[in-house]
Amino acid sequence: MNYQLLFVLSFVLFVVGMIGVAMRRNVIIVLVSLELMLNAVNILFVSASKYLHTLDGQVFVIMVITIAAAEAAIALALVVRLFRTMGMVKIDDLKRLKW
Amino acid sequence: MSAVPSTVHLLFFYFFAAMTIASALLVVLLRNIVQSAFALFFTLFGVAGIYILLGADFVGVTQVLIYIGGVMILIVFGVMLTHNSYSVDIFNRLGTLVMGTISAIVTFTIIYYAIRQVPWRLIGYKASIPTTRPIGTLLMTDYLLPFELASVLLVLAMVGAAYLIRSELRVGKERKDRDKRGAGLERKDA
């Protein structure tokens, strides 16, 4: 098994998340796609940690997981609030916040 | 502990990688949000499997506990709380779809050719040692400040999320009171 395979896996996952962020209209799916991108970066961190024979990459992964959990909590609270205010969770509706 | 044979290792890697990518595609492409949320479960599980294959046992268990046990539950709650009949057709216009696909393919091609340039070593197959203790030592020495900042961030996120939901309840009650008063006035006028 080559490190290249791991990196390709990570980048494929990142690109899938990118497509999700670009294409989907539901705010929750956009958030889920962001989580996919964070997971892709975490795979890269763990592979680099193994490649360099240090554990610092894994400590960073724990930090990233912490921040992802906080982000998910806040973002889903905002989404629920948005749903109660506007009645739907389409990302186009957020344009109304500009004015 | 004896080392795992490399073919078995590779087979497990392909299994988890295929599971991760396939279910990630399902997350992005399925039209039903509830199905997307449950496909995410398999993606996170596949990523945890990859961590454990790489010898990162503590990170793998953390992934299962926090992502699958915490974030997944939050997302399923979010889906259930915001579900209505409008949320089935969720694809954007064709232009956005084309632009998203093009930018994704271009990004992947650039990064893929960049990593092809470097001759990477092969992964060794020796049995991995437990990482919990060294990670704990690192968190308490080199990374003490980020560790404390992360706990402050968690407290802030918890208070913030609770505030967002609570204030909505209060506003809803005020609106209901106002509506009740308005209805009373109307009745008096009539």
Side-chain angles (χ1 to χ4, degrees):
Chain A
M1 187 161 103
N2 201 333
Y3 278 95
Q4 227 169 27
L5 275 175
L6 276 167
F7 294 163
V8 169
L9 167 72
S10 161
F11 292 131
V12 168
L13 195 58
F14 190 84
V15 164
V16 168
M18 231 175 96
I19 293 176
V21 170
M23 261 168 54
R24 298 301 292 261
R25 284 168 89 180
N26 190 299
V27 181
I28 292 183
I29 299 298
V30 172
L31 286 172
V32 165
S33 305
L34 278 178
E35 300 284 342
L36 287 184
M37 291 162 86
L38 285 172
N39 266 293
V41 175
N42 282 349
I43 291 179
L44 205 56
F45 264 129
V46 174
S47 332
S49 157
K50 182 145 174 104
Y51 187 76
L52 300 172
H53 296 297
T54 59
L55 283 176
D56 301 63
Q58 300 190 19
V59 175
F60 271 95
V61 170
I62 291 170
M63 298 296 167
V64 171
I65 288 178
T66 313
I67 291 168
E71 173 245 329
I74 292 288
L76 286 167
L78 280 174
V79 168
V80 169
R81 177 106 198 206
L82 181 79
F83 179 76
R84 287 186 187 161
T85 313
M86 291 186 175
M88 54 179 72
V89 284
K90 297 230 176 103
I91 210 148
D92 297 341
D93 296 334
L94 293 176
K95 279 183 195 159
R96 276 192 233 168
L97 294 177
K98 282 202 287 195
W99 287 280
Chain B
M1 195 179 146
S2 65
V4 185
S6 61
T7 18
V8 178
H9 204 271
L10 197 61
L11 272 180
F12 270 103
F13 172 77
Y14 278 126
F15 172 71
F16 283 124
M19 185 164 115
T20 308
I21 299 296
S23 56
L25 278 173
L26 284 182
V27 168
V28 171
L29 296 178
L30 278 178
R31 288 183 167 236
N32 191 331
I33 324 175
V34 182
Q35 288 172 356
S36 288
F38 280 102
L40 180 68
F41 175 83
F42 290 99
T43 311
L44 297 176
F45 196 78
V47 174
I50 298 242
Y51 290 161
I52 291 178
L53 273 186
L54 282 173
D57 52 350
F58 182 69
V59 174
V61 172
T62 312
Q63 168 92 2
V64 171
L65 278 180
I66 296 181
Y67 263 113
I68 299 178
V71 174
M72 262 310 292
I73 301 293
L74 269 180
I75 286 171
V76 170
F77 262 100
V79 168
M80 301 288 177
L81 283 174
T82 60
H83 197 66
N84 59 15
S85 52
Y86 298 109
S87 45
V88 177
D89 185 15
I90 11 188
F91 279 93
N92 216 333
R93 287 176 304 277
L94 191 66
T96 325
L97 194 149
V98 171
M99 291 306 289
T101 314
I102 288 175
S103 58
I105 289 172
V106 167
T107 312
F108 179 76
T109 315
I110 291 172
I111 300 175
Y112 183 72
Y113 278 105
I115 59 169
R116 283 293 296 273
Q117 305 292 316
V118 184
W120 303 96
R121 281 202 306 270
L122 285 175
I123 295 179
Y125 295 110
K126 58 176 186 292
S128 49
I129 46 167
T131 56
T132 314
R133 190 188 174 99
I135 284 180
T137 313
L138 272 179
L139 276 177
M140 278 296 136
T141 52
D142 289 358
Y143 295 99
L144 187 58
L145 184 63
F147 181 70
E148 295 295 334
L149 283 180
S151 50
V152 171
L153 178 82
L154 279 180
V155 171
L156 283 178
M158 208 167 64
V159 173
Y163 173 75
L164 280 173
I165 298 296
R166 265 187 74 86
S167 60
E168 166 63 28
L169 285 178
R170 207 186 61 228
V171 169
K173 187 161 170 292
E174 274 171 8
R175 192 180 301 149
K176 210 182 288 172
D177 288 346
R178 202 181 55 214
D179 290 348
K180 220 183 286 171
R181 255 181 283 139
L185 283 178
E186 272 176 23
R187 221 175 293 135
K188 208 185 290 173
D189 286 346

